[in-house]
Amino acid sequence: MKDSARAVIIGGGVVGASVLYHLAKIGWRDVLLLEKSELTSGSTWHAAGGMHTFNGEANISRLQKYTIDLYREIEKLSGQSCGLHPNGGLMLAANEGELDSLRLICSRARYLGMETEMVSLAEAHNLNPLIDTSHFIGALWRADGGHCDPSGTTHAYVKAAQQLGASVERFTRVVSLTPRRDGSWDILTDKGAIRAEHVVNCAGLWAREVGHMAGIELPVLAMEHHYLITEDLPELTGRDREIINTTDYSGEIYMRQERRGALIGTYEPHGVVWAPLMTPDDFTMQLLPEDFERLAPYFEVGFRHFPALGRVGIRKAVNGPFTFAPDGNPLVGPVRGVRNYWVACAVMAGFSQGGGIGLVLSRWMAENDPGQDILSMDVARFGAFATPRYTALKVPENYSRRFRLAYPNEELPAARPVRRSPIHERLIAAGAVMGANFGLENALWIAPEGMPPAETPTYRRSEAFPVVRAEAHAVRRSVGLYETTNYGKYEVTGRGARTWLDRVFASRIPKPGRLALAPMLNPAGRIVGDLSIACLAEDRFLIIGSGFAEEFHLRWFWQAEPPADVFVRSAASTLAGLSIAGPRSRETVQRLTRIDLSAEAFRLFQVTETAVGFAPAILTRAGFTGELGYEIWTTPDYFATLYDDLREAGRDFGLVHFGGRALSSLRLEKAYGSFNKDFRPDYTPGETGLDRYIDFTKPDFTGRAAALAERTAGARRRFVVMEVAETQAEVVGFESIMKEGAAVGYVTSGSYGHCVEKSLAAGYVPSALATEGARFEIDILGEMRTATVRLQPLYDPQGLRLRS
Ligand SMILES: Cc1cc2nc3c(=O)[nH]c(=O)nc-3n(C[C@H](O)[C@H](O)[C@H](O)COP(=O)(O)OP(=O)(O)OC[C@H]3O[C@@H](n4cnc5c(N)ncnc54)[C@H](O)[C@@H]3O)c2cc1C
């Protein structure tokens, strides 16, 4: 065995094999995969091999399509068959909500270049004659997908990688990992030691344990999963083509042809966690005992929906474990604080996702950039809140919902509440309907007295619509209060702070007493953050960003290597905040502070440290509503008092609470984009419009060369807000934006603009088409709607209210 390698990949399942192949393909030939047993011996060998392109997030869908298209390439290179059955897919809806979700998939698929359409039940039956269509009301057909042979596919990756110079050692167990000062690793195996520049955890069922070897706790857990293979079905004899792979959402069943019989699997509601504390070392090429008693009611649904399957015997039953992250998406990327340690685990759909994961991870390792937006599978979307207990509750919830369609207004209940602000109980008492962001509870909307604080999951307007409208109007008319504790907060201090920030951020770094909007770019000139920086003193800064991106930004700061005279720390749990917005906000806050808040004395983007009521606070004149407004930050011990004081101070002006939903409406009326939704690492300063905050006079900052090049060449696309005509439902996100029958972009966010009385959709369109009044079409739940570009914000285009 070699005693050194540029990268060592731990785990020879389908994911490790793909990472090996992609690293070799990108030119890293000195790469070594270590497998403690036979290749595929974890969860890979007994998988059903199903592959599909659909994922609720467009970037992951695209990578799934890449994965499926890749199989022909590795077959050719390796000479090894992947056992492909590219027979496409059918998704069945049994109620209106499911039908809406299929319509949404159709709308999204166009820009992704995926052939998809709604089909009649008669057509569905033609594609799969085993369906009893009386249980369903509609169906979606997609060309991509089918199934493959798990073992053949894994071996094809490995053989293709070996052809490119990569190495594999089977029956070689990694026992420990020890980092060296230079960032490289000593890898101890049962066959000797290896030194490697990089280590990749692709250990599947053992990813948790291989995480422990580097001192990290990954939020990953295995669930038991059953499928059955029936005896031959007479209905299939004489057919010249295989039936189409079918997903039955209401039945929580997937089924496909397996030789002359059928394979049927279920994601039952009360799934069983496997190996909750430690994965057994010797679980190799093994299955688990079947539990028919527990599973019978769920398979019976399948036998009702596909009756022919219940008329024959069961040839084989499989119960095997595989791993999930709390939200069901993979965990990919580098881990903050651990140099050159990469993860590619919690992959629950290895045959749809393995190729894409290998592609982005190999680029990330070689070029320090995944090359595209993969926030939704970045390991950094979880932070300290994702403890083993959290994972133990969230993973079974996710498993039970694998085939339940996620409604855009739905908040999942497991592991809630985890993080609560000091005013949580007060907000609940006021009727707040809560969501969770990075584990922290935050108010989405506030049910008025007499209305239950709950919402029916739907793709259309819910009972919250008129309540959100009232909140938005109250902010524009008088004054509203919104809790901002769930924003990401960081303190950067020290003598070298300004110089370091100047390098990390593309914007001007403000002088003491001022706040600046601050885009952050990666070396390729793409947006990795849209934050604001408040300068409290020459050597003290408060940075505010998106709460969900806290770990992502902390990792970014860590990778930017603050020197010894710069201290960066998260203020997530040490600062809590409130936003007071609306024309009466000045009078409200003025009642609690001695400093002069008049327009001339405390201007937009001014910041100061002062007492607000009883609370020592950081007070900024800023906000996200487009109104006159203030953000007030204090420590958690003063926070409830500050809240009480503000409510009292605003009482005469009719101060109301407003939640995240009203904020989305207010910000889109002002055409403000939001990081995570509208601004992500796929987009550039020119495309987002954030270039206006870039200080090109600075000689050096990350992403400068790329941003300058874009400035010279012009942006290819442009972020726009559109008015959508005659719709009774708002866009959700990722719907295709159509022009003359061709998909030219996709929607990034949407909301009803309650104060401008228009349905609004934000997204990117080619620059040449981004003109005032340009018309596009968006398919919203099966209806083509005209969307008209408005280049000026629909509300207060001159920003007079903001500056008032
Ligand atoms: C019943 C069932 C049906 C499924 N059906 C589908 C399907 O239809 N479609 C689909 O896409 N997915 C399906 N899956 C999921 C699929 O199996 C997984 O997504 C995939 O196997 C994950 O692969 P992996 O490489 O991440 O993990 P694994 O296959 O678990 O591989 C990890 C490897 O790491 C090795 N390893 C661990 N620790 C060490 C160490 N210390 N030293 C050296 N080597 C080590 C292990 O031996 C193992 O081979 C199914 C799973 C089950 C259980």
Side-chain angles (χ1 to χ4, degrees):
M1 188 173 72
K2 308 157 61 125
D3 63 3
S4 77
R6 187 158 184 198
V8 160
I9 294 144
I10 305 172
V14 67
V15 175
S18 167
V19 171
L20 184 77
Y21 169 67
H22 282 92
L23 279 174
K25 192 176 168 191
I26 213 163
W28 284 27
R29 303 293 148 94
D30 182 19
V31 285
L32 170 64
L33 185 149
L34 300 177
E35 166 53 55
K36 68 184 170 63
S37 175
E38 194 50 88
L39 294 172
T40 77
S41 61
S43 59
T44 294
W45 68 281
H46 52 62
M51 50 193 199
H52 56 91
T53 44
F54 169 65
N55 184 286
E57 213 267 279
N59 289 292
I60 298 190
S61 292
R62 200 175 283 129
L63 287 173
Q64 293 190 184
K65 173 132 172 63
Y66 166 83
T67 301
I68 294 169
D69 293 346
L70 179 71
Y71 292 145
R72 294 290 182 211
E73 173 184 318
I74 57 171
E75 277 187 332
K76 215 176 196 178
L77 251 169
S78 64
Q80 162 77 51
S81 165
C82 294
L84 295 177
H85 296 251
N87 42 352
L90 192 66
M91 298 154 105
L92 300 171
N95 56 50
E96 284 299 329
E98 288 173 3
L99 202 56
D100 276 348
S101 97
L102 297 188
R103 293 174 178 135
L104 177 62
I105 293 173
C106 255
S107 176
R108 288 171 166 173
R110 295 187 186 110
Y111 187 60
L112 295 169
M114 294 169 189
E115 219 185 317
T116 305
E117 63 189 61
M118 301 300 291
V119 292
S120 68
L121 289 176
E123 285 168 288
H125 190 261
N126 191 29
L127 293 163
N128 182 350
L130 305 181
I131 304 169
D132 176 352
T133 53
S134 69
H135 297 285
F136 303 100
I137 62 167
L140 175 145
W141 166 86
R142 55 181 161 74
D144 295 309
H147 55 279
C148 63
D149 165 27
S151 168
T153 302
T154 309
H155 281 91
Y157 275 126
V158 166
K159 283 183 188 165
Q162 285 171 321
Q163 299 243 339
L164 297 172
S167 317
V168 175
E169 291 289 345
R170 294 175 302 136
F171 300 98
T172 306
R173 175 191 302 272
V174 174
V175 180
S176 70
L177 297 172
T178 312
R180 291 197 178 195
R181 285 177 84 90
D182 66 358
S184 66
W185 291 86
D186 285 322
I187 300 154
L188 187 64
T189 77
D190 55 1
K191 300 252 178 79
I194 305 165
R195 183 171 180 187
E197 229 175 273
H198 298 267
V199 171
V200 193
N201 176 353
C202 297
L205 293 173
W206 293 265
R208 174 182 48 190
E209 284 71 16
V210 173
H212 292 164
M213 289 180 193
I216 58 176
E217 192 68 67
L218 291 165
V220 53
L221 200 59
M223 299 290 297
E224 294 191 15
H225 179 67
H226 284 70
Y227 66 76
L228 309 175
I229 295 175
T230 71
E231 287 174 346
D232 290 357
L233 293 159
E235 288 80 357
L236 298 181
T237 29
R239 267 182 75 88
D240 56 354
R241 60 195 164 101
E242 275 189 2
I243 60 169
I244 191 165
N245 290 22
T246 303
T247 311
D248 161 7
Y249 285 101
S250 68
E252 303 185 276
I253 291 283
Y254 61 91
M255 65 98 36
R256 65 165 171 85
Q257 187 162 343
E258 172 70 20
R259 297 172 198 269
R260 308 292 335 154
L263 181 153
I264 174 170
T266 180
Y267 283 87
E268 71 279 10
H270 306 289
V272 172
V273 172
W274 181 71
L277 299 178
M278 207 179 94
T279 308
D281 234 7
D282 56 355
F283 187 83
T284 286
M285 291 281 183
Q286 286 184 48
L287 290 174
L288 303 168
E290 302 106 39
D291 189 350
F292 283 133
E293 214 167 301
R294 185 170 66 81
L295 272 296
Y298 311 109
F299 280 118
E300 273 162 20
V301 175
F303 297 150
R304 275 204 301 282
H305 292 187
F306 306 91
L309 275 60
R311 292 195 286 266
V312 293
I314 302 301
R315 178 180 293 150
K316 188 173 154 194
V318 168
N319 178 15
F322 65 119
T323 52
F324 295 76
D327 61 0
N329 280 340
L331 299 174
V332 181
V335 178
R336 174 167 65 101
V338 195
R339 280 165 77 193
N340 299 332
Y341 181 92
W342 305 82
V343 299
C345 58
V347 184
M348 62 109 161
F351 299 95
S352 302
Q353 298 180 333
I357 290 171
L359 175 74
V360 292
L361 190 72
S362 62
R363 286 188 191 148
W364 213 337
M365 292 173 68
E367 295 157 15
N368 212 10
D369 178 8
Q372 66 167 92
D373 169 9
I374 59 142
L375 287 178
S376 306
M377 55 189 204
D378 191 330
V379 60
R381 71 188 183 281
F382 294 104
F385 70 92
T387 57
R389 179 158 183 219
Y390 174 90
T391 306
L393 294 170
K394 274 296 186 199
V395 165
E397 178 187 62
N398 183 272
Y399 182 89
S400 72
R401 298 178 50 90
R402 172 81 173 87
F403 282 159
R404 212 155 317 144
L405 297 157
Y407 290 95
N409 66 338
E410 201 174 5
E411 296 296 322
L412 303 184
R416 303 262 313 271
V418 171
R419 296 175 60 208
R420 276 176 284 190
S421 92
I423 61 166
H424 180 260
E425 303 309 330
R426 285 168 165 80
L427 291 175
I428 297 288
V433 175
M434 307 299 274
N437 178 20
F438 217 65
L440 182 66
E441 298 290 316
N442 60 286
L444 300 173
W445 56 280
I446 293 87
E449 231 173 278
M451 181 179 186
E455 191 179 8
T456 314
T458 177
Y459 285 87
R460 294 165 190 268
R461 292 175 188 165
S462 77
E463 58 270 56
F465 188 84
V467 181
V468 173
R469 172 195 287 272
E471 290 175 20
H473 275 281
V475 172
R476 297 255 185 260
R477 191 179 55 240
S478 180
V479 56
L481 174 149
Y482 171 76
E483 189 185 9
T484 53
T485 307
N486 69 333
Y487 290 4
K489 294 151 278 171
Y490 317 90
E491 286 168 4
V492 179
T493 52
R495 278 213 318 212
R498 177 176 292 276
T499 311
W500 181 75
L501 288 171
D502 242 333
R503 177 164 60 81
V504 175
F505 284 87
S507 66
R508 192 175 40 79
I509 306 302
K511 295 281 171 231
R514 297 292 298 164
L515 176 143
L517 302 179
M520 193 159 67
L521 309 181
N522 67 14
R526 295 185 180 272
I527 306 290
V528 289
D530 164 30
L531 303 101
S532 57
I533 302 177
C535 181
L536 304 175
E538 191 50 40
D539 58 355
R540 228 154 40 86
F541 297 85
L542 172 66
I543 300 180
I544 306 291
S546 310
F548 97 95
E550 186 193 320
E551 183 64 29
F552 176 81
H553 284 146
L554 283 173
R555 186 181 65 196
W556 197 261
F557 296 150
W558 168 70
Q559 286 173 333
E561 298 182 346
D565 59 355
V566 179
F567 308 94
V568 180
R569 89 183 173 95
S570 164
S573 300
T574 52
L575 278 183
L578 291 167
S579 165
I580 309 292
R584 312 300 297 268
S585 58
R586 176 178 288 128
E587 292 151 276
T588 303
V589 182
Q590 187 68 78
R591 287 184 170 183
L592 296 172
T593 182
R594 87 175 164 72
I595 67 159
D596 177 4
L597 293 184
S598 63
E600 307 71 40
F602 198 68
R603 288 171 297 129
L604 183 65
F605 296 149
Q606 205 143 326
V607 51
T608 189
E609 288 177 278
T610 183
V612 180
F614 288 110
I618 298 167
L619 174 66
T620 65
R621 188 173 158 193
F624 208 39
T625 64
E627 295 294 339
L628 168 70
Y630 302 85
E631 283 174 4
I632 310 170
W633 304 96
T634 190
T635 48
D637 47 350
Y638 288 99
F639 192 58
T641 307
L642 173 67
Y643 167 84
D644 291 343
D645 282 348
L646 282 164
R647 290 215 48 195
E648 186 52 40
R651 192 183 303 279
D652 296 344
F653 310 116
L655 179 134
V656 297
H657 283 108
F658 66 106
R661 296 270 177 77
L663 188 64
S664 296
S665 169
L666 295 164
R667 69 141 182 117
L668 274 181
E669 291 177 343
K670 286 292 296 172
Y672 295 155
S674 160
F675 189 66
N676 186 24
K677 288 189 173 127
D678 310 299
F679 301 159
R680 296 175 60 117
D682 267 346
Y683 303 114
T684 62
E687 291 169 349
T688 52
L690 292 174
D691 53 347
R692 64 183 178 277
Y693 304 115
I694 292 187
D695 179 2
F696 283 105
T697 64
K698 292 202 297 187
D700 186 29
F701 59 85
T702 307
R704 185 175 187 271
L708 258 182
E710 186 194 42
R711 193 166 67 151
T712 311
R716 282 192 311 115
R717 303 176 281 201
R718 182 158 172 194
F719 176 67
V720 290
V721 171
M722 293 167 279
E723 269 177 48
V724 186
E726 287 168 24
T727 181
Q728 290 303 309
E730 274 56 63
V731 292
V732 172
F734 301 120
E735 291 90 342
S736 305
I737 302 173
M738 311 292 294
K739 184 83 183 173
E740 288 158 15
V744 294
Y746 63 55
V747 167
T748 50
S749 70
S751 173
Y752 190 79
H754 289 284
C755 301
V756 299
E757 309 228 320
K758 301 233 167 6
S759 182
L760 304 176
Y764 290 81
V765 297
S767 299
L769 301 178
T771 52
E772 175 63 28
R775 289 174 165 234
F776 295 90
E777 288 196 308
I778 303 174
D779 171 351
I780 301 181
L781 305 179
E783 309 276 351
M784 276 296 180
R785 302 293 182 195
T786 303
T788 308
V789 169
R790 293 292 170 227
L791 292 182
Q792 291 292 316
L794 284 161
Y795 181 78
D796 187 23
Q798 268 86 48
L800 301 178
R801 296 176 71 98
L802 181 69
R803 288 185 179 76
S804 61

